[in-house]
Amino acid sequence: MADGPLRGVRILDLTHVWAGPLGTRILADLGADVIKIEAPTSRGPREGARFNFSGWIGGEPGDEPWNRVAVFVKLQRNKRSVAIDLKTDAGRETFLGLVAVADVVIENFSAEAMPALGLGYDALSRANPSIIYMAMPGYGKDGPYRDWVAFGPTVEAMSGLSHVLGYGPEEPRNTAMALMDPIAAVNAAGAIVTALREREATGRGSFLEMSLHESGVVFCGPWLVEHQLGRNVERIGNRHPAMAPHGVYPSRGEDAWVAIACRDDRDWRGLCSLIGAGLDPSASLAERRMGCDAIDAKISAWTAARTREEGAVALQAAGVPAGPVNVTPDMTADPQVRERGFFVPLEPGPTPVPGNPIKMAGIGSGDWTPCPRLGADNAAILRDWLDYDDERIAEMEREGVLADKPPP
Amino acid sequence: MDRVLELGGYAAGYCGRLFVQAGCDVVRVETGERPPAWVSDEAMDLYLHAGKRRIRTDDPRLIAELASRADVVVAEGHTADAVEALGFDAWDAPVRAAITPFGRTGPKRNWQASTNVLLAMGGYTYIMGDPDRAPLTLPGHYPEFQSGAFAYAAANACRLAGESEVIDIGMLEVVMALSQFTTVMWHCDGAIRERHGSDFYHVVPTNLFRCADGWAHINIVPGFWDPFAAFLDLPELVLDERFGTNELRRQNRHALHAIIDAAVAPMTRAEIRRRAEDCRIPVGVVQSLDDVLADPHLAVRGFWQSVHGGESAPVRSPRRAWRIDGQTPPDRDLALLETPAAEARDG
């Protein structure tokens, strides 16, 4: 567990996939005691994951492949794990016991999943009136879309983002990376600290609800306001409505690129002085936008003769925002990132995992703990939080209510 | 409720927006310079700054005085030195958050940045767009808004604990922290994640498909394969050996995409949504901005709040992403306020 300002805050984390676990990772990095409440099958079958497109932590599945799925492990640092079957009476009773001494419960199931288990907000708030319950359904707990099946990519299309993202008017694109999830994740962390502060003032628990869909629409807010003001919001590829030139330009090497932006006339003059090529340093933004095809061609000729790093460094020296289009080895090798110790070699391998972008004296990665094994903390949590004795815990293990591995 | 002082661009502005929506008193200092935005200044002000008290000043003594009366200061600079030049280190507030493109330390702390540069360096751009074309940058203000949201969470955590802290948030690290599986894919599998247009690639079919009046995004993880065949009105797909597993669907993606293209092309978006609801499969349709503004679901859920400023008619702006105890936004218009310095100082 990490130390940090949220030390002492107990969070029961029932989330899965990306948005929820990423949100609770932020809270765990800030010092919260996050207990991952997992089904014994939550990490996949015993012989290996159903999906594994990002490899195994350490490079091999090992003896416990369910504990080594990289895309799962990277989201679980600083958490502890209790694997418990909530479909059993004993499992539910124990879970409600944990709720009674916790501060927060967070889940991102469909709208009906928790009530169907008898574990909706009403039941949890009876167990603990000061509990903060956060639900993260795809489209919310009410409204006409409440029962729609939702994943990040499908919600993205509904949010308005696909209206603006793409190569041109007839070529919309999705991010293909479920962008609504990381947006919801960071908002979830903010929502929970907000509710904790409100509870501090009122003494009462609360029901928080945040849908993937609405998180995404919030991100699109400026375009929605602009549209109502009667101004056109267009899909313009890598160009920008208020900057020119602005784009992603080819660099020397295969599929190598550099991103460049001229925020103002000063940046433009810096670019002209570096590249030359007959570019007019006195051209206004309107003139640059008008002539952007010709300008982009001249910039491309210059960037294509240099590596992405060479191009970016030269442009930065001229005061122009520029950066290489990085892939992972570039990211972890970046001297800026290395000096700030951003990637944390916490997991076996060792596997560098992105750290927390919140830097402050009260938190650091020195005391961080890696992803717990499935059910690794069953006994410790039930003993410490609920005073269960060893015999009771052993009985729950024998009956399959608690587990530390998936069923055969 | 906290008193919050906000200075800088769209990251600080987004952070301040969250504080406003939590009921805090937010004073925004504007120095006259503003970075280029994806929308007009008017739209950005209405979206970010409604409900704040704003003063225009670059007087360092006044700013320091305002900071000394604040519980939280959020200051954004275009470089580390720019934040320092504001006097940030000398301000006296319990929680001070600095947001800069690359963070306050390190060899690139004073590099110049823009949204597309941060997305590129942070690993997002390379994986977005078509494989045979330039990568696509993400429109809008993702690094800024996400950085503002991180600052909000961190500052509130410190306030909850009653701790004084100086917070340093680098937007590049924010982007990197929010990578999906790009980094572990390299370190654990030795693979560079590539871009495949709108195709998620690893789970098939997950892609945008053109329909009669627009586009639909279909995301069929294996558990939804059988109902998806019903959605298409092609039950024979369930028995088609080319598509029996996700791995087979990956291998035969082009053939499958062609079948879906043909089936979806004559459907309208409304029909697609009806069918998806009936078959309980994850499908979204590409909504225009008009569609989103008219979305009945958002309306029923009290998602919008009315904001106005100056001569403009009120517009609808999204509330914050979450609701507490079902609360909808306050039943009043939020106004852009221009506040005399003395009033901002005295509250």
Side-chain angles (χ1 to χ4, degrees):
Chain A
M1 281 164 52
D3 191 20
L6 295 183
R7 74 184 70 79
V9 173
R10 288 174 163 181
I11 298 177
L12 301 177
D13 174 11
L14 293 95
T15 64
H16 60 297
V17 194
W18 191 19
L22 180 58
T24 53
R25 189 182 79 179
I26 295 167
L27 297 164
D29 289 350
L30 286 169
D33 186 3
V34 177
I35 311 300
K36 200 160 177 56
I37 302 293
E38 305 183 74
T41 53
S42 64
R43 302 186 185 185
R46 191 175 288 204
E47 69 273 15
R50 295 182 188 91
F51 282 119
N52 191 359
F53 34 76
S54 57
W56 309 97
I57 290 289
E60 299 291 337
D63 295 335
E64 297 180 348
W66 62 90
N67 284 329
R68 289 190 163 234
V69 178
V71 70
F72 175 89
V73 167
K74 74 181 280 273
L75 295 169
Q76 316 301 345
R77 66 167 175 250
N78 295 326
K79 302 178 186 176
R80 299 194 281 171
S81 170
V82 169
I84 187 166
D85 186 352
L86 297 180
K87 293 179 178 169
T88 64
D89 290 342
R92 277 192 298 275
E93 180 192 350
T94 298
F95 177 71
L96 286 170
L98 294 172
V99 170
V101 292
D103 298 290
V104 176
V105 173
I106 176 170
E107 53 92 355
N108 61 345
F109 299 119
S110 62
E112 281 306 314
M114 290 293 279
L117 286 169
L119 298 172
Y121 176 58
D122 289 347
L124 271 54
S125 61
R126 278 195 300 276
N128 179 354
S130 64
I131 197 73
I132 292 166
Y133 180 113
M134 179 158 193
M136 300 173 66
Y139 286 100
K141 289 277 192 186
D142 54 40
Y145 306 165
R146 67 184 293 275
D147 294 325
W148 286 17
V149 183
F151 289 131
T154 61
V155 169
E156 184 178 315
M158 299 287 295
S159 73
L161 176 58
S162 304
H163 177 83
V164 189
L165 172 63
Y167 286 100
E170 298 303 316
E171 295 186 286
R173 292 290 182 275
N174 249 48
T175 60
M177 57 172 292
L179 193 78
M180 302 298 105
D181 284 60
I183 292 173
V186 187
N187 274 303
I192 285 174
V193 291
T194 304
L196 284 165
R197 294 199 66 196
E198 288 197 5
R199 188 182 70 171
E200 188 182 45
T202 66
R204 292 194 304 272
S206 57
F207 175 65
L208 272 73
E209 190 206 337
M210 187 178 67
S211 77
L212 270 184
H213 178 220
E214 289 171 355
S215 301
V217 181
V218 170
F219 174 73
C220 297
W223 296 314
L224 294 162
V225 173
E226 181 85 333
H227 183 67
Q228 291 171 84
L229 295 173
R231 302 191 183 100
N232 210 11
V233 179
E234 298 175 298
R235 190 183 295 129
I236 54 175
N238 285 324
R239 293 201 167 126
H240 192 287
M243 289 190 256
H246 180 280
V248 176
Y249 300 87
S251 295
R252 196 172 73 214
E254 187 181 352
D255 201 17
W257 308 86
V258 60
I260 302 171
C262 284
R263 298 162 297 186
D264 51 26
D265 292 345
R266 186 174 50 192
D267 289 349
W268 168 245
R269 288 194 297 272
L271 184 140
C272 291
S273 69
L274 178 69
I275 290 179
L279 293 171
D280 176 8
S282 66
S284 67
L285 174 62
E287 290 167 333
R288 302 197 300 267
R289 293 182 65 183
M290 189 82 74
C292 58
D293 286 341
I295 290 171
D296 280 351
K298 288 180 178 178
I299 295 173
S300 294
W302 184 87
T303 56
R306 292 157 180 81
T307 67
R308 55 195 163 179
E309 193 65 35
E310 288 168 352
V313 168
L315 284 156
Q316 285 282 347
V320 181
V325 175
N326 280 335
V327 294
T328 296
D330 310 315
M331 290 156 62
T332 49
D334 187 310
Q336 175 71 10
V337 172
R338 292 177 74 88
E339 181 162 316
R340 285 169 62 85
F342 179 66
F343 282 89
V344 184
L346 194 64
E347 307 294 344
T351 305
V353 172
N356 188 333
I358 299 167
K359 302 263 190 264
M360 57 188 188
I363 62 172
S365 60
D367 57 357
W368 286 5
T369 52
C371 171
R373 293 169 50 247
L374 178 71
D377 304 291
N378 289 345
I381 300 293
L382 300 192
R383 262 197 306 264
D384 295 348
W385 287 27
L386 301 180
D387 289 330
Y388 280 19
D389 59 28
D390 290 347
E391 187 179 336
R392 185 170 182 183
I393 292 168
E395 185 183 347
M396 292 175 73
E397 288 170 346
R398 277 195 304 276
E399 292 179 354
V401 178
L402 294 173
D404 62 4
K405 59 179 68 68
Chain B
M1 277 297 159
D2 286 336
R3 293 181 59 148
V4 179
L5 180 68
E6 169 199 317
L7 304 94
Y10 307 124
Y14 191 82
C15 183
R17 181 185 201 267
L18 292 171
F19 274 112
V20 166
Q21 300 203 340
C24 296
D25 176 13
V26 178
V27 172
R28 172 174 171 77
V29 171
E30 299 195 334
T31 57
E33 281 189 23
R34 53 195 306 161
W38 260 84
V39 295
S40 63
D41 289 352
E42 183 183 12
M44 211 53 159
D45 284 349
L46 285 165
Y47 176 71
L48 285 180
H49 304 320
K52 299 174 185 174
R53 295 190 289 154
R54 297 192 292 162
I55 64 169
R56 296 183 196 280
T57 183
D58 54 8
D59 177 354
R61 284 176 303 180
L62 176 59
I63 294 172
E65 190 179 345
L66 290 169
S68 72
R69 295 171 187 234
D71 302 300
V72 175
V73 176
V74 182
E76 177 185 355
H78 69 281
T79 62
D81 282 358
V83 166
E84 197 173 318
L86 289 169
F88 180 86
D89 290 319
W91 293 339
D92 182 22
V95 176
R96 285 175 286 146
I99 306 174
T100 55
F102 298 96
R104 298 191 71 199
T105 60
K108 294 181 181 173
R109 65 189 181 281
N110 287 321
W111 267 36
Q112 303 296 319
S114 55
T115 305
N116 67 330
V117 165
L118 293 166
L119 289 164
M121 295 179 71
Y124 266 50
T125 305
Y126 185 82
I127 62 174
M128 288 175 46
D130 297 352
D132 54 349
R133 299 165 80 175
L136 263 180
T137 200
L138 186 64
H141 295 275
Y142 182 80
E144 295 96 324
F145 291 179
Q146 293 286 63
S147 297
F150 266 109
Y152 175 81
N156 271 293
C158 293
R159 294 292 292 157
L160 182 72
E163 294 179 354
S164 296
E165 279 285 2
V166 177
I167 299 163
D168 169 14
I169 291 179
M171 295 190 213
L172 175 65
E173 292 171 354
V174 165
V175 176
M176 288 183 177
L178 303 176
S179 66
Q180 190 176 24
F181 51 81
T182 314
T183 63
V184 287
M185 188 178 192
W186 167 252
H187 290 292
C188 298
D189 208 28
I192 300 282
R193 189 175 176 190
E194 298 170 335
R195 58 185 179 277
H196 302 280
S198 299
D199 187 351
F200 181 66
Y201 193 77
H202 304 282
V203 176
V204 178
T206 298
N207 210 339
L208 270 183
F209 294 90
R210 190 187 282 274
C211 63
D213 59 351
W215 297 82
H217 195 280
I218 291 168
N219 182 190
I220 303 303
V221 301
F224 293 101
W225 175 244
D226 289 5
F228 179 59
F231 164 89
L232 294 175
D233 240 349
L234 297 171
E236 62 272 23
L237 284 182
V238 173
L239 301 175
D240 192 320
E241 291 181 352
R242 294 174 297 168
F243 310 129
T245 65
N246 184 62
E247 184 52 39
L248 288 167
R249 292 193 286 276
R250 284 178 52 153
Q251 291 168 20
N252 297 297
R253 71 175 65 238
H254 297 304
L256 179 56
H257 285 169
I259 291 169
I260 299 169
D261 276 332
V264 167
M267 297 183 197
T268 64
R269 292 182 301 159
E271 182 183 358
I272 286 169
R273 273 306 327 156
R274 272 196 306 275
R275 284 171 174 252
E277 201 171 351
D278 289 347
C279 297
R280 293 201 49 75
I281 60 169
V283 173
V285 294
V286 171
Q287 298 220 89
S288 69
L289 300 180
D290 275 329
D291 295 334
V292 175
L293 288 163
D295 191 309
H297 183 73
L298 295 171
V300 164
R301 285 172 53 79
F303 178 70
W304 304 107
Q305 55 187 169
S306 175
V307 296
H308 71 84
E311 301 299 310
S312 305
V315 296
R316 280 169 291 157
S317 183
R319 58 164 160 74
R320 65 183 173 188
W322 64 88
R323 296 194 300 192
I324 298 182
D325 288 333
Q327 294 162 1
T328 50
D331 187 20
R332 62 180 170 82
D333 289 350
L334 299 173
L336 291 168
L337 303 173
E338 294 285 349
T339 304
E343 188 183 326
R345 197 166 43 222
D346 300 337

